[in-house]
Amino acid sequence: MNPEELLNEGNERNKPAADSPLISLERDLKYFNESIKEVSEEIMNEGLSSYPIFIAHQHELSLGELILDRHDLNSEWSIHASTLEEFVERDVIKPVLKERFINSYKDPYQFMCVFVVVPEGANFVFFPYAK
């Protein structure tokens, strides 16, 4: 899924794409690329999870662990690190949907799995790491 697909295209009250917060998210993810990849590999190498998930948000959030604070970094998005296991434990992903999530999970060495939280809702995006 592309970041643009998170917006409800049928809603006439949506801002034009140029004003979308997802444009700033893409910019921040590119900027944070190396840091996120490093944390992802650490999660996997330490055996914490084979399925790291990063949560991008602009509000207060009590899921995962804060790794990049938008206030400290003068960016528009904060990033928390989490895992599939925490998402299931906290009932963000229903246990019956865990296998479907695993089957759709992309190579964590090539893509960051980002749970994007915006006022319109939340969804998963697989964003490629920069080469």
Side-chain angles (χ1 to χ4, degrees):
M1 172 174 280
N2 294 321
E4 297 82 18
E5 290 178 75
L6 287 173
L7 295 176
N8 181 1
E9 297 293 331
N11 187 341
E12 294 176 4
R13 292 179 294 183
N14 279 341
K15 297 177 185 176
D19 296 332
S20 170
L22 298 175
I23 302 301
S24 64
L25 174 60
E26 182 176 10
R27 185 175 49 246
D28 283 358
L29 290 177
K30 286 178 180 177
Y31 182 73
F32 297 145
N33 181 73
E34 287 183 37
S35 298
I36 292 173
K37 188 170 188 176
E38 190 176 297
V39 171
S40 178
E41 290 175 356
E42 190 175 305
I43 289 169
M44 293 182 294
N45 292 340
E46 291 185 7
L48 299 174
S49 179
S50 296
Y51 306 96
I53 299 172
F54 296 92
I55 304 131
H57 61 92
Q58 296 178 314
H59 304 90
E60 294 302 312
L61 192 69
S62 61
L63 181 63
E65 183 177 322
L66 180 66
I67 60 168
L68 299 163
D69 187 340
R70 67 188 179 100
H71 301 292
D72 293 343
L73 299 168
N74 197 27
S75 63
E76 294 192 42
W77 293 83
S78 292
I79 307 291
H80 284 216
S82 185
T83 63
L84 168 61
E85 292 78 6
E86 181 182 12
F87 269 59
V88 171
E89 181 181 304
R90 302 277 300 271
D91 211 30
V92 177
I93 295 175
K94 303 287 183 202
V96 297
L97 298 177
K98 181 179 175 181
E99 279 304 311
R100 185 184 332 169
F101 179 84
I102 289 171
N103 291 335
S104 65
Y105 193 87
K106 293 189 177 192
D107 180 353
Y109 293 98
Q110 302 296 318
F111 295 88
M112 60 182 86
C113 176
V114 183
F115 187 65
V116 182
V117 180
V118 293
E120 295 83 5
N123 210 335
F124 289 97
V125 174
F126 290 92
F127 191 81
Y129 287 115
K131 302 282 182 214

